[in-house]
Structures are given as C-alpha cells and as structure tokens.
Amino acid sequence: MQNFDYINPTMIKFGRGQITTIHEVIPKEAKVMVLYGGGSIKRTGIYDQVMSSLDGYDVVEFSGIPSNPEYEVLMDAVSIVREQEVNFLLAVGGGSVIDGTKFISAASVYDGDDAWDLLTKQEPIMEAVPFGTVLTMPATGSEMNYAAVITKRATSEKLLMQGVGIFPQFSVLDPTVVSTIPERQLSNGLIDSFVHVLEQYLTYPVEARLQDRFAESILNTLVDIAPKVKFSPSDYGSASDYMWCCTNALNGMLHNGVPQDWGIHMIGHEITAMYHIDHAITLAIVAPSYYQHLIGQKEAKLAQFAERIAGVTEGTPREKAVKAIEFIKSYFLSLGVTSKLSDYVDCFDQCAENISKTFKERQWLGLGEKQNVTPEMVEQIVKAAY
Ligand code: NZQ
Ligand code: ZN
C-alpha cells in the first residue's frame, strides 16, 4: 500500500425526512443563499421542504445553474454573495449545482483578478464561504468530496478545481428523491459512479486488499441494483443503496494508498465541453476503448475484475481481461447507453484530433496511473471509440 493523507469532514444526514432538519446544522444568524438549477426542485417538492426548514432565516435565492455549470453564470452569484454579504450557501441539486456552489464559495473570497484562475492555476483551494448540500440526484459524489468541475462557455474549457476548503459542511442524502429522477439521469448516475470506482481500481496491484474489496463491493452492489433503480426508482431499499454507493465511489476512501488513473474522465470532459454530451455518456464512450488500449499494463486488475465482478472462472489473465472489458460495455448497454461516439455526434476524426491538440497545448502529455498515455494515444483511443 502507498502512503496517504486522508481527511473527510463532511457530515452526512442520511434518510427519509432529513431535508427538514437542515436548520439544525446551519447557524441561526446566517444569511443563506439557496442555489439550484433549472427548477426540478419545485416540481419534486424538495424546494418546499428546504424552504420550510429555513423558516426564520434571512434567505436569498439563486436559480438557473445549468448542467455542466458555467463560470459566466456562476460569477453572477458571486456578485450577489459579495454585495449582500451572504455567509452560508446551500446547494440543492445534483453534481452541477453542487460543483457550481463550490466554485461560488471559493470565488467569493478569492482576492485575485479573475476567479477563473482557480481552475487554471491548479492551486489547492483552502478558503471558501461555508456551504451545505441537499442532494437531489446521486451520481458524482460531489456531496462528500473536495472537487468541482467548471465550464467556461467562452472558450469551451471544462476544468477541475480541488482543495479541502471546498468540502461541504454537511450533505443531506434522502433516498426518496430518487423516485423523481428521469430514467436517463438514473442511467447516468449508475454509469458515473461505476466509472469513478474503475478509475481508482483498474490500475495495477499494490497489495491494498481492503481498498480492492471496498471498490469491488461498490461495483457488485451497483450491478445488483441497477435494474431495480432504473425500472423501480420508488423502491426505497435499492434507492438507498444507490445513493450511498454513489457517495462512497468518490469520497476519497477508495483512492487511499492506491494508484489512480482518471484518464477516462479527462477525455470525457473534453467531449462534453465540445459537444455537450452528458458527462456519464462520455465515460461510457471512452472507457472500453481506453481499457482495450491499456490492456497490457492493466491486465492483472482487469483479470481480478473479471473474477470478482463478472464471475469469470476460466482462461488466462489476458482472456479474463478481455472479458472484463466486454462486461463493462454490457453494463453500460444494459442501461441503454452505447459506447460509440458516432451514436451521439457526427464528428469523424475531428473530435479525436481536437482533444489531442488541446492536451498538447495544456502540456497534459502523460495521463493514467503511469503517466504514459500520450496525446497521440488519446487520439487513437477516441478514434477507436468512434
Ligand atoms: O437543473 P435541475 O432542475 O436541477 O435538473 C437537473 C438536471 O437537468 C436534473 N435533476 C436533478 N435532480 C433531479 C433532477 N430531475 C428530476 N428530479 C430530481 N430529483 O438532472 C439534470 C442533470 O443534473 P446534473 O447536476 O447536471 O447531473 P450530475 O449530477 O450528473 O452532475 C454532472 C456534473 O458533475 C460533474 C460533471 O462533469 C458535470 O458537470 N462531475 C463532478 C464531480 C465532482 N465534483 O467530484 C465528479 C464527476 O466525475 C463529474 O465530473
Ligand atoms: Zn464522473
């Protein structure tokens, strides 16, 4: 096992009815900004629960945070936070609203010239306005981690910011919200969380048996519950498992002491920035081709995946690795998502060439756990996924 530092200060309030208890964890004198997206929280009744719990607080609202949250929109909220001296933020939404709130919380106390530098300079975020979240859609794990992914519309960039300053103070996970989520978004969450685990597991063995078993238990649970979540989202038991799997897939526990990859996400973010394809779908497009190209260096862990997740008992390590990739592809397909870029956009080689060019410009010359996935290989991976 490799050395690691680990902290996770986010309080989780899990279960039915927990949305109505948020006043217990927000200071009474706080001036609260409630942030949300396109309005689904009003249709689902989550807004009413939040507002009644905030009765008596000084509240301002900021709505309209889009999927793949945009710097240009978020900066409007930063101005309001500063002008009105807001000192607590409450994100009510999925990964986009939560990530957008993380950016707003850090940008509001940033004293540089342009808060976009928080994304480009890659310095750890240490200070931010305190915030909590009410998760309306499990998928990204943003509710219990210190990362956010923000898009700049003007330049079609989609970049990551990180730092312990943007851990939520608390997150409410009420599985009853799952019953309101459209089927497409349920598939997205089942894919995104699955790939989060893969990016921290499909590397090479380092004798981290517990982390391997943690990862495998999440993968096995997701495979078990996926049909129930997709077709019976009102089932409280599977909704609870689903929500808790998504959170644990990216709250830091899995990557302690093990190598990580994240190449699939880095390529996927570019596809979303260029063509506005849902985050999870870009992962389903890239993952099989990525693993096929790196089957040599990932063979041992792919074979372990085949044995422990896909139930493969026969064959050489290479044959098992091939079956693991087939299994991953069929999991996506069982959720109605194909792994062919051309099913979503007509871009031929242009997409692959653009990504490779962008990575070269950014000096992202070696992705993956061994930093050996060059822009040229990225181009081949995306071309093969077309
Ligand atoms: O805009 P609203 O009204 O909120 O509607 C949303 C949105 O249209 C809707 N929705 C959410 N909860 C609902 C609901 N509809 C009905 N009932 C509910 N209960 O779902 C749509 C998609 O929401 P969004 O938040 O965009 O999806 P997701 O949670 O998948 O977040 C995607 C974003 O997270 C980033 C992605 O790149 C993308 O920008 N990620 C963040 C990560 C992190 N911070 O750690 C890691 C991830 O890998 C990912 O990159
Ligand atoms: Zn993701």
Side-chain angles (χ1 to χ4, degrees):
M1 199 184 297
Q2 301 171 346
N3 290 8
F4 62 89
D5 294 336
Y6 182 56
I7 180 174
N8 197 316
T10 302
M11 175 190 192
I12 295 296
K13 289 172 86 53
F14 188 96
R16 277 183 220 276
Q18 290 279 36
I19 297 173
T20 59
T21 69
I22 49 180
H23 58 273
E24 293 168 6
V25 282
I26 301 177
K28 289 282 167 282
E29 64 290 353
K31 174 142 189 181
V32 183
M33 177 181 267
V34 175
L35 300 109
Y36 53 98
S40 66
I41 62 164
K42 294 205 168 156
R43 290 192 300 277
T44 55
I46 297 170
Y47 175 87
D48 291 339
Q49 292 181 60
V50 168
M51 285 311 187
S52 70
S53 186
L54 292 178
D55 193 26
Y57 282 87
D58 188 359
V59 174
V60 291
E61 289 182 33
F62 186 85
S63 63
I65 296 180
S67 279
N68 308 307
E70 292 174 355
Y71 160 82
E72 289 86 347
V73 174
L74 303 174
M75 285 309 289
D76 291 341
V78 171
S79 304
I80 300 170
V81 169
R82 287 179 171 164
E83 278 160 29
Q84 302 200 19
E85 298 183 353
V86 168
N87 54 20
F88 199 94
L89 308 179
L90 182 66
V92 187
S96 294
V97 171
I98 298 175
D99 281 10
T101 301
K102 287 177 173 176
F103 173 81
I104 294 162
S105 77
S108 298
V109 297
Y110 182 66
D111 60 8
D113 294 337
D114 181 357
W116 183 246
D117 292 345
L118 292 166
L119 283 299
T120 52
K121 291 199 172 153
Q122 287 294 303
E123 282 163 11
I125 315 290
M126 304 307 282
E127 278 182 43
V129 177
F131 67 96
T133 88
V134 174
L135 182 67
T136 65
M137 200 177 85
T140 65
S142 186
E143 65 279 5
M144 200 180 176
N145 71 33
Y146 62 68
V149 190
I150 306 297
T151 298
K152 193 171 194 180
R153 197 193 313 144
T155 53
S156 294
E157 287 168 281
K158 188 171 193 205
L159 298 174
L160 177 76
M161 63 192 270
Q162 298 191 76
V164 292
I166 51 170
F167 266 118
Q169 291 207 338
F170 67 84
S171 283
V172 177
L173 275 56
D174 176 350
T176 63
V177 304
V178 172
S179 65
T180 67
I181 301 171
E183 205 178 303
R184 163 175 155 198
Q185 300 298 349
L186 291 169
S187 296
N188 283 351
L190 289 160
I191 292 170
D192 195 18
S193 51
F194 196 83
V195 178
H196 291 162
V197 182
L198 297 184
E199 298 260 44
Q200 299 164 91
Y201 173 82
L202 287 179
T203 57
Y204 53 87
V206 290
E207 291 202 80
R209 294 172 190 83
L210 181 62
Q211 285 87 329
D212 278 2
R213 294 292 187 186
F214 279 154
E216 288 152 4
S217 62
I218 296 175
L219 294 169
N220 276 322
T221 307
L222 286 170
V223 170
D224 279 355
I225 61 170
K228 197 100 182 236
V229 168
K230 189 163 153 93
F231 300 111
S232 314
S234 306
D235 180 84
Y236 185 78
S238 48
S240 303
D241 286 333
Y242 171 45
M243 205 167 219
W244 196 223
C245 276
C246 290
T247 301
N248 281 282
L250 199 49
N251 68 358
M253 277 297 282
L254 301 185
H255 70 227
N256 288 331
V258 301
Q260 301 177 66
D261 188 335
W262 298 109
I264 295 166
H265 270 71
M266 289 165 96
I267 300 169
H269 287 162
E270 294 306 311
I271 300 178
T272 298
M274 278 190 278
Y275 303 109
H276 308 284
I277 297 174
D278 291 356
H279 169 64
I281 293 176
T282 67
L283 306 178
I285 292 167
V286 178
S289 172
Y290 191 86
Y291 291 134
Q292 195 58 53
H293 276 75
L294 296 172
I295 195 165
Q297 78 184 45
K298 290 177 183 287
E299 184 180 279
K301 289 303 282 287
L302 279 163
Q304 185 174 318
F305 175 102
E307 288 162 10
R308 299 187 185 178
I309 313 297
V312 177
T313 51
E314 314 247 297
T316 63
R318 179 55 62 98
E319 284 162 354
K320 287 179 179 169
V322 169
K323 290 209 166 125
I325 298 170
E326 282 165 12
F327 183 91
I328 291 167
K329 219 169 151 177
S330 66
Y331 172 77
F332 301 149
L333 209 51
S334 74
L335 296 165
V337 176
T338 69
S339 297
K340 257 177 93 110
L341 179 57
S342 55
D343 286 341
Y344 306 93
V345 61
D346 192 8
C347 62
F348 195 48
D349 288 349
Q350 196 61 45
C351 175
E353 286 161 12
N354 283 348
I355 296 175
S356 155
K357 186 164 157 273
T358 305
F359 282 9
K360 277 185 203 150
E361 284 164 5
R362 287 193 199 135
Q363 293 287 305
W364 291 2
L365 304 178
L367 308 187
E369 69 274 12
K370 296 200 165 153
Q371 282 105 55
N372 60 354
V373 183
T374 61
E376 289 75 19
M377 283 165 77
V378 168
E379 190 169 323
Q380 286 165 23
I381 288 165
V382 179
K383 281 183 178 165
Y386 191 73

